[in-house]
Amino acid sequence: SVAGNLRGSVAGSTWLNAANSSLSVTGVLLNKGTLTATESPNTVTYSGAAQTGKATTYSNLVIAGSGAKTTTGVTVTDTLSRQGTATATAAPTYQSNSVVEYKGSAAQTTGPEFPSPMTATVLINNVNGVTLNAAKTIDDSLIVRAGSLSDGGFQITHGGRVLQARV
């Protein structure tokens, strides 16, 4: 964990987040240089207040803490998890078999991380519930593990599986 910033000193600076590793940062992550976080599984967590995510490909990406996390230019190969009260500013690119998890510490409303049509699995894992911000089409699975998904008055079109898996 990095309490604060992990900065690159030159454009050639590199951070490799290897398989089975995790990195949590509350500030800036490599304002200069390259972040390699594609080894599966590994996790990068932006856990501070408003932060700019590094435009790169992530195996598992957690946006946590609070405030808006800039997600422009982000690709997720495994899971994007929205935790705490954090929000995303842009729709990441999702690879096949990706998952978008809602695991907030308060009720959550979907945002740009949930484009329509949604090609990734949507996992509701928030006891406080999740509400749609607009009409949505889900092409993959919808899984409710904890809490509920409210349509917010919008239409949900679903072409995949719906599972309610309480643990």
Side-chain angles (χ1 to χ4, degrees), residues 129-142:
V130 176
T131 302
L132 294 181
N133 70 331
K136 301 290 183 180
T137 298
I138 304 171
D139 291 340
D140 205 322
S141 297
L142 170 62

Side-chain angles (χ1 to χ4, degrees), residues 76-145:
V76 176
T77 61
D78 293 313
T79 300
L80 168 69
S81 184
R82 245 185 75 190
Q83 300 180 12
T85 59
T87 59
T89 63
T93 299
Y94 297 106
Q95 299 297 313
S96 62
N97 300 317
S98 292
V99 175
V100 177
E101 176 185 42
Y102 291 89
K103 192 177 181 179
S105 57
Q108 293 175 292
T109 300
T110 62
E113 77 288 339
F114 189 153
S116 188
M118 172 56 97
T119 58
T121 293
V122 176
L123 171 60
I124 307 300
N125 198 10
N126 182 340
V127 296
N128 300 296
V130 176
T131 302
L132 294 181
N133 70 331
K136 301 290 183 180
T137 298
I138 304 171
D139 291 340
D140 205 322
S141 297
L142 170 62
I143 301 169
V144 179
R145 182 167 294 148

Side-chain angles (χ1 to χ4, degrees), residues 4-6 10-11 18 41 50-51 63 69-70 77 80 99 108 113 126 134 146 151 165:
N5 303 317
L6 177 61
V10 295
Q51 290 173 277
I63 55 175
K69 311 298 184 191
T70 301
T77 61
L80 168 69
V99 175
Q108 293 175 292
E113 77 288 339
N126 182 340
D151 64 17

Side-chain angles (χ1 to χ4, degrees), residues 22-93:
S22 62
L23 170 65
S24 180
V25 63
T26 61
V28 174
L29 178 57
L30 288 178
N31 58 322
K32 294 181 185 174
T34 302
L35 169 65
T36 302
T38 55
E39 294 293 323
S40 183
N42 86 74
T43 302
V44 175
T45 302
Y46 291 92
S47 58
Q51 290 173 277
T52 298
K54 185 76 172 170
T56 193
T57 299
Y58 297 85
S59 171
N60 295 302
L61 174 62
V62 177
I63 55 175
S66 62
K69 311 298 184 191
T70 301
T71 50
T72 304
V74 165
T75 298
V76 176
T77 61
D78 293 313
T79 300
L80 168 69
S81 184
R82 245 185 75 190
Q83 300 180 12
T85 59
T87 59
T89 63
T93 299

